[in-house]
Amino acid sequence: MADPCGEQIHREVQDYYGRELQKSEDLKTNACVTSARPLSKAVRDALERVHEEVVARYYGCGLVIPECLEACQILDLGSGSGRDCYLLSQLVGEQGRVTGIDMTESQVEVAKKHIAYHMNKFGYQKPNVEFLQGYMEQLGDAGLADESYDIVISNCVINLVPDKRAVLQEAYRVLKPGGEMYFSDVYTSQHLSEAVRKHRVLWGECLAGALYWRDLYSIAKEVGFSPPCLVTASPITINNKELECIIGDCRFVSATFRLFKVPGSSRAGPGQVIYNGGITGHERELVFDANYTFKEGEVMDVDAEMAAILRSSRFAEEFLIRASGANVATPQGCCHQGVKDPALHHLVITAAKAAIDRHRSNQTLLAGEHKIQQCSSPSWFVHHFYQEVIDALEEPPRL
């Protein structure tokens, strides 16, 4: 049997999220409720001001809240009930703007219903959010113009779209030069079987449409984005025997990546940067991704790609950037002896840290955690504990 067509998938996903799911507890896996990085107090406080119905009807995996947002224009792909939009509304301020687009009418209705409530709650004179019904792979049909947004976010919904390349292409189109796509989604360890790809519930649970993680890197390059920067990753558990049998030995991970639309004029080789500590909530250090943590006032070598990202993006005013006289080595954790694939390396190291947090009684992982704390190079950890981490993730200890 052939894979479901795009229109059929759209209809089934709309039905699943519009009728079958009434609250996040109705989900059958943790694919859409996986936690992300610890939340800052500002984000926690902002989340408490979001209407309870909006929160209850939210099904994203984690929280897609990048840094340095004041006065930004943000587009949320697959905004659902609007939780992330209302959260971002507070962080961009009244001078910023947040647009949410979703294909499910009932979800858009929930989001629109609470605009007045939130604007009053935030003390805004006029709304800085809007919600549109439409498809994220056809943003032009919703009237979204080229180069109109600083940031595009997406929270565990690209997997629900058959044509992932079209989504990234449209995101690239609407981003301003130097803009960022910051998104979480579900990825697989291998290409999925036909049985998984045509399973209705697995589509709704964000698994049947999950992208093979290597394909993200190739699609991003084809579209024109910078290489994906991994922010966080966490293994997904399938606590449903029937679904486990269908999935087989495939492994899933929830991961957050950031992609940048870097103009060619910004590429000028490696450099040295100093973070000025000016981003609210990240004054002492900015954890940019799995490779780079910038500490206030400290000189740090960066490769040509990161130098171009910082130089061309909204982060430019937060850094002193200068050219490096010598070639800067690849950032620690990117490519290392014993780990041939940089993307897999990133997924393993972040998934390993997540596993440590959840399975602290496992002595192998405790030893690994100690080593992580004792050295600054995550690549050293992967080189020495690579197989132990893989084994632990495949067969997590029973607590």
Side-chain angles (χ1 to χ4, degrees):
M1 180 183 295
D3 288 349
C5 68
E7 290 185 6
Q8 179 185 346
I9 291 171
H10 282 151
R11 287 195 302 269
E12 292 185 350
V13 169
Q14 285 175 313
D15 183 69
Y16 197 76
Y17 282 84
R19 298 181 181 181
E20 291 197 23
L21 298 182
Q22 296 301 313
K23 55 187 183 301
S24 58
E25 287 79 5
D26 294 334
L27 292 162
K28 297 175 175 60
T29 73
N30 76 335
C32 294
V33 292
T34 307
S35 61
R37 290 191 288 187
L39 305 181
S40 68
K41 184 178 185 304
V43 173
R44 292 196 306 271
D45 290 345
L47 186 57
E48 289 182 359
R49 290 188 284 269
V50 178
H51 193 281
E52 59 182 11
E53 182 184 10
V54 170
V55 174
R57 294 291 298 275
Y58 159 83
Y59 311 118
C61 54
L63 206 60
V64 284
I65 307 295
E67 316 83 4
C68 198
L69 300 178
E70 187 174 354
C72 281
Q73 308 286 313
I74 301 180
L75 172 64
D76 184 1
L77 302 179
S79 52
S81 64
R83 191 204 71 167
D84 288 357
C85 289
Y86 285 124
L87 197 57
L88 290 163
S89 167
Q90 301 171 72
L91 301 178
V92 301
E94 201 164 1
Q95 300 307 310
R97 182 91 181 156
V98 182
T99 301
I101 185 168
D102 199 279
M103 68 178 179
T104 305
E105 182 179 7
S106 62
Q107 289 284 76
V108 175
E109 288 175 353
V110 171
K112 286 183 174 180
K113 182 171 67 174
H114 298 293
I115 290 178
Y117 167 88
H118 287 100
M119 296 306 102
N120 180 64
K121 191 84 169 176
F122 306 159
Y124 292 170
Q125 296 299 311
K126 60 180 181 178
N128 70 343
V129 295
E130 64 175 339
F131 297 98
L132 307 173
Q133 185 177 357
Y135 298 105
M136 66 183 78
E137 64 270 48
Q138 300 170 10
L139 298 178
D141 292 349
L144 302 185
D146 295 357
E147 300 184 359
S148 52
Y149 290 95
D150 302 295
I151 305 168
V152 172
I153 69 165
S154 175
N155 198 336
C156 201
V157 292
I158 295 177
N159 62 82
L160 300 174
V161 178
D163 191 349
K164 274 74 169 169
R165 190 185 190 284
V167 176
L168 266 65
Q169 184 69 65
E170 279 291 85
Y172 188 87
R173 179 183 67 80
V174 302
L175 278 171
K176 300 174 185 178
E180 175 184 13
M181 183 175 184
Y182 187 96
F183 64 109
S184 64
D185 221 286
V186 178
Y187 300 90
T188 70
S189 61
Q190 61 193 52
H191 287 112
L192 298 172
S193 68
E194 182 180 0
V196 172
R197 293 197 307 271
K198 65 183 183 183
H199 195 281
R200 178 177 174 276
V201 172
L202 289 176
W203 267 104
E205 292 287 324
C206 304
L207 300 178
L211 190 65
Y212 177 41
W213 63 269
R214 291 180 188 271
D215 291 343
L216 172 65
Y217 286 74
S218 60
I219 293 173
K221 182 178 180 180
E222 292 169 7
V223 167
F225 278 115
S226 60
C229 299
L230 179 69
V231 181
T232 62
S234 182
I236 289 171
T237 57
I238 315 297
N239 299 318
N240 183 296
K241 293 297 182 184
E242 179 183 352
L243 297 182
E244 284 179 350
C245 291
I246 297 170
I247 289 169
D249 62 357
C250 185
R251 296 288 180 265
F252 295 86
V253 64
S254 171
T256 299
F257 286 94
R258 54 199 328 165
L259 309 175
F260 286 86
K261 184 176 180 176
V262 179
S265 59
S266 297
R267 300 186 183 279
Q272 292 184 321
V273 304
I274 302 175
Y275 172 50
N276 65 19
I279 300 177
T280 302
H282 305 272
E283 291 82 1
R284 292 187 176 182
E285 66 175 22
L286 172 64
V287 181
F288 194 83
D289 64 7
N291 280 330
Y292 288 106
T293 295
F294 301 104
K295 296 185 181 297
E296 180 195 9
E298 291 188 9
V299 178
M300 187 168 184
D301 291 331
V302 295
D303 65 4
E305 195 66 51
M306 182 54 64
I309 287 172
L310 295 178
R311 188 179 293 113
S312 64
S313 69
R314 66 189 187 282
F315 294 100
E317 294 183 0
E318 311 301 335
F319 286 86
L320 172 65
I321 307 172
R322 63 190 182 193
S324 175
N327 290 332
V328 177
T330 301
Q332 53 185 334
C334 183
C335 297
H336 188 271
Q337 178 183 2
V339 183
K340 297 181 180 180
D341 195 304
L344 178 60
H345 175 107
H346 293 332
L347 289 176
V348 168
I349 189 65
T350 50
K353 291 178 179 178
I356 289 168
D357 290 337
R358 285 191 295 274
H359 307 300
R360 289 187 174 273
S361 65
N362 180 278
Q363 295 305 308
T364 298
L365 288 180
L366 281 175
E369 179 184 30
H370 175 71
K371 295 300 183 184
I372 288 177
Q373 294 173 341
Q374 294 301 311
C375 71
S376 60
S377 172
S379 60
W380 189 94
F381 168 78
V382 171
H383 180 63
H384 289 274
F385 290 91
Y386 187 76
Q387 191 57 51
E388 290 90 336
V389 170
I390 293 294
D391 293 343
L393 293 181
E394 290 181 348
E395 297 183 19
R398 297 182 181 276
L399 301 181

